[in-house]
Amino acid sequence: MQNTIRIIGIDPGLRRTGWGIIDTLGNSLRFVASGTVTSDGDMDLASRLCQLHDGLAEIVHSYKPDEAAVEQTFVNKDAVATLKLGQARGIAMLVPARAGLPVSEYAPNAVKKAVIGVGHGEKQQIHMMLKILMPKVEFKGNDAADALAIAICHAHNRRSNRMRQALAG
């Protein structure tokens, strides 16, 4: 007998960190909630990271997910921006890990492939597929939509991830 697994997907960003929560049972997906945690751009970096931490911690505490998935960071030409994104990503991984959740990571192309069938696509394609996969889905903005896509990617890949970890351990 299978149990429902609640997954939080997190799309890290220093200004806006998107989050999306789904329940999965077998192959079925059910939308639970989504949103964005923001930081105040006028504050220092440490304070902004604290805002992201506290906001995500509240989401994890409120919705009690079983597993977490975080999008991997890509390196761009702006090294300072990449470093700041990496710090926000650290918070996105730390919060669920401190709550005792297993945390998986997915490349942006893997997320797109899981949701729209190809590794490269437009945001509108992701939005459309989210509505097809979960007709009751609600999201405001790209960050929350991306987080839901990350959660769906994890729902599709979680079994193979567990088998890989068991073989490696």
Side-chain angles (χ1 to χ4, degrees):
M1 184 167 153
Q2 292 181 324
N3 294 328
T4 299
I5 302 297
R6 179 160 287 181
I7 299 168
I8 182 169
I10 303 173
D11 181 31
L14 185 57
R15 287 188 192 106
R16 292 176 309 278
T17 290
W19 59 272
I21 299 177
I22 64 170
D23 285 343
T24 181
L25 177 61
N27 290 329
S28 69
L29 302 172
R30 185 177 69 82
F31 169 76
V32 176
S34 69
T36 306
V37 176
T38 59
S39 72
D40 183 345
D42 293 332
M43 296 179 80
D44 63 276
L45 179 61
S47 297
R48 293 177 74 186
L49 293 172
C50 283
Q51 288 178 319
L52 295 177
H53 175 277
D54 294 348
L56 279 176
E58 179 58 35
I59 299 303
V60 169
H61 176 75
S62 296
Y63 289 98
K64 299 181 179 8
D66 301 302
E67 299 177 7
V70 178
E71 188 170 68
Q72 291 176 340
T73 306
F74 63 91
V75 178
N76 60 35
K77 293 177 184 175
D78 183 349
V80 173
T82 300
L83 182 59
K84 287 180 181 177
L85 177 58
Q87 291 168 324
R89 189 170 169 277
I91 297 297
M93 294 180 70
L94 173 71
V95 169
R98 294 280 306 188
L101 305 181
V103 180
S104 297
E105 304 172 70
Y106 297 96
N109 287 351
V111 173
K112 288 178 183 172
K113 188 169 186 175
V115 176
I116 62 175
V118 293
H120 300 280
E122 301 297 320
K123 297 282 186 191
Q124 296 300 36
Q125 289 175 291
I126 292 172
H127 294 191
M128 183 183 72
M129 283 305 295
L130 289 174
K131 291 174 184 174
I132 291 169
L133 293 169
M134 299 180 297
K136 295 181 180 181
V137 72
E138 296 175 16
F139 54 87
K140 291 182 182 166
N142 291 334
D143 301 301
D146 288 349
L148 287 166
I150 294 160
I152 290 170
C153 178
H154 181 65
H156 292 321
N157 290 286
R158 58 184 296 278
R159 286 190 189 133
S160 61
N161 286 349
R162 278 201 325 255
M163 285 195 293
R164 254 183 268 138
Q165 290 169 350
L167 290 172

